[in-house]
Amino acid sequence: MSGGHMYKTVNVMASWCLIAMGLSACGNDENNQTTSTNPPEEVMSDCFWQGPYSIDDPKTNFAYPDTGSTYWSAKYTLPEGAALRLKGDFPYARYMSINSYNIDTTPADSINDGEIIPDKNGVNPFVDGNLRNDPNRAYTLNVASGKVPANGRPANTIYDATQNNDPAVLLYRVYVPNKGKNMKGGVKFPQVELTTRQGEVLTGDAACIALDALDKKLTVPLVAADTYAKAREFNPAKEKPVWRASYSIAFSLQCEFLGICDTNPIRKVAYYANRDNQYIASAVDRNIKPVVVIRGKIPTVPKTLNGEEYFNSKNTQLRYWSMCQNEFYSQKVTSCLFDEEININPDGKYTIVTSLPKDRPKNATEECGVGYLEWSDKGDGFSIAEGREDHKTDSRLIVRNMLPSSNFHNAIQNTQKPGDESQVIGDYLPDATYYTKEEFEALGCNPSQKI
């Protein structure tokens, strides 16, 4: 997109999901009086990496972003015979990755932090036991055209899934920067380096021009409005909220809205999803009652938010966990909580309340051991489609599981068919219940002791 906000409609069979520090300057004026200028805003995109895609920008808040993460996209066309490399530094963060995408917005290939070999004398801060804050953290990635070879891939290589010189799409993600670091995790973007067929090495703007990568933000992949309107004649919310693993948009519309769930869907999570994540989601409706209370267990994760000295995931179950409030149709996120932001109650579970701000119970506070997610006043956000109106009381809750350990059998990744969520996820499957504001406030502070 360039300037304005554009939308792209995808067919119902497309896959489902499903993204400032500055330097102050001062000097003397002509009267020898000291003056200062406002700190310049830090650059959060460059000629190759566009964004950020986040809750803070209405134009880029789509594809169900997570507020614990920030996303940047690159869309480019590799010249014939050219070679593309990315030279970066590992961020000071919980996680980073680069994904490539198919034309239907499903992930094609990816490489994450732990899979990357650092440059000579460098340290990968995402390897167990390594120093997380070592300054020698450079890496180099090769970006190759086409699909991953059947006989495997070279190290530090990601494939862009393109054919016939089509444009490629990459997404760069940084999750949970250390406190005190910016959304990029305190490092520069991976810098693009293009070697032409003639052997000329291009960097910066020259490389971006050769790649036709300038100002190439992604467009919103919307379900056809008529298709959604027909499905939304049936309310997907149940009086006892149901959590379902995400497979595809076709399956979600068919199962959640129409009640046809006894199929064997292929898991192809789209909307620029992260290959390292899998998702469960639940439809809720404020018409039932205005407050939803969610309880459950969070799998163990490596602690990183406070700049811990060493990376340690040996005894953890996931790399990352979050719960988000979203508009189903527009895909906008309203609010999220991730693992290290959430209070754990004495019984080992969390308590999270979601409502409109005006309906927030007085005891839905950290002091009372309760997390809070704001409910969008636009409901499903259907008004993003021309001539359509929001279903204002709707909402979609999404839970992410990232990179489960091999011995964590309750991960969302281990679900295999519709309806097995409770059996597979067990105590880690959230339990959601409707309340009025008054009913929840009557439980007093530390309501987990009475639920």
Side-chain angles (χ1 to χ4, degrees), residues 15-69:
S15 296
W16 151 261
C17 169
L18 24 30
I19 248 291
M21 296 173 64
L23 298 176
S24 60
C26 61
N28 293 330
D29 64 14
E30 58 185 343
N31 296 317
N32 289 325
Q33 293 178 329
T34 301
T35 60
S36 64
T37 60
N38 292 327
E41 188 173 326
E42 185 169 3
V43 175
M44 283 299 165
S45 63
D46 66 12
C47 69
F48 190 72
W49 296 110
Q50 305 293 306
Y53 294 80
S54 73
I55 191 173
D56 298 320
D57 184 352
K59 294 182 179 180
T60 63
N61 183 358
F62 64 86
Y64 303 100
D66 185 333
T67 61
S69 176

Side-chain angles (χ1 to χ4, degrees), residues 57-349:
D57 184 352
K59 294 182 179 180
T60 63
N61 183 358
F62 64 86
Y64 303 100
D66 185 333
T67 61
S69 176
T70 308
Y71 316 74
W72 292 268
S73 68
K75 189 173 184 179
Y76 65 90
T77 301
L78 188 66
E80 186 176 353
L84 179 60
R85 295 204 299 178
L86 298 172
K87 306 187 79 168
D89 288 332
F90 293 104
Y92 296 83
R94 173 81 65 80
Y95 164 92
M96 63 81 64
S97 70
I98 297 177
N99 280 233
S100 63
Y101 289 88
N102 298 306
I103 194 170
D104 65 357
T105 75
T106 58
D109 193 23
S110 65
I111 190 165
N112 67 44
D113 45 40
E115 298 169 329
I116 299 172
I117 300 169
D119 291 351
K120 186 177 180 180
N121 299 322
V123 171
N124 184 332
F126 298 95
V127 172
D128 274 323
N130 281 0
L131 286 169
R132 295 189 60 248
N133 302 308
D134 192 300
N136 301 311
R137 52 201 306 117
Y139 63 85
T140 302
L141 297 179
N142 299 305
V143 183
S145 294
K147 296 183 178 181
V148 179
N151 59 352
R153 75 177 71 224
N156 284 23
T157 301
I158 180 173
Y159 287 82
D160 66 14
T162 60
Q163 300 181 38
N164 303 319
N165 211 34
D166 291 334
V169 172
L170 304 178
L171 271 178
Y172 174 57
R173 290 172 164 87
V174 176
Y175 279 69
V176 192
N178 291 4
K179 282 183 178 177
K181 299 296 184 182
N182 61 21
M183 63 179 65
K184 293 186 293 185
V187 298
K188 297 187 299 184
F189 289 115
Q191 299 297 296
V192 62
E193 181 183 279
L194 181 70
T195 303
T196 68
R197 182 171 55 181
Q198 294 77 21
E200 184 180 7
V201 178
L202 304 177
T203 60
D205 288 348
C208 289
I209 291 170
L211 289 162
D212 190 25
L214 296 172
D215 196 20
K216 297 282 187 176
K217 283 187 179 177
L218 303 178
T219 55
V220 186
L222 294 174
V223 173
D226 286 346
T227 299
Y228 177 72
K230 188 173 183 61
R232 188 52 189 83
E233 292 175 4
F234 304 89
N235 191 338
K238 311 300 180 188
E239 289 196 9
K240 180 60 180 175
V242 177
W243 295 89
R244 304 184 192 277
S246 297
Y247 288 92
S248 70
I249 185 60
F251 177 74
S252 293
L253 294 175
Q254 172 185 287
C255 177
E256 296 180 39
F257 290 80
L258 305 180
I260 304 171
C261 303
D262 56 346
T263 60
N264 188 27
I266 297 173
R267 200 190 308 266
K268 289 188 66 179
V269 183
Y271 290 172
Y272 303 109
N274 184 352
R275 282 183 79 203
D276 289 334
N277 283 337
Q278 287 300 336
Y279 315 83
I280 54 173
S282 182
V284 289
D285 185 348
R286 290 188 290 107
N287 271 334
I288 298 173
K289 284 185 180 180
V291 175
V292 175
V293 179
I294 308 122
R295 303 211 71 223
K297 291 180 66 176
I298 297 177
T300 56
V301 300
K303 304 298 183 184
T304 63
L305 182 61
N306 293 309
E308 281 76 2
E309 186 175 7
Y310 294 97
F311 188 77
N312 182 6
S313 66
K314 288 183 178 178
N315 297 313
T316 60
Q317 296 165 317
L318 296 177
R319 176 73 73 86
Y320 175 85
W321 181 99
S322 71
M323 181 181 294
C324 293
Q325 256 282 19
N326 306 265
E327 298 173 7
F328 181 94
Y329 188 78
S330 73
Q331 311 148 33
K332 293 181 183 295
V333 64
T334 305
S335 59
C336 299
L337 291 168
F338 65 83
D339 42 58
E340 286 195 79
E341 293 180 315
I342 299 172
N343 289 318
I344 303 303
N345 302 145
D347 62 357
K349 296 182 178 182

Side-chain angles (χ1 to χ4, degrees), residues 336-370:
C336 299
L337 291 168
F338 65 83
D339 42 58
E340 286 195 79
E341 293 180 315
I342 299 172
N343 289 318
I344 303 303
N345 302 145
D347 62 357
K349 296 182 178 182
Y350 59 82
T351 304
I352 294 174
V353 161
T354 183
S355 70
L356 290 179
K358 69 181 181 67
D359 295 321
R360 181 175 181 172
K362 293 179 181 178
N363 53 339
T365 63
E366 288 187 20
E367 292 75 17
C368 291
V370 181

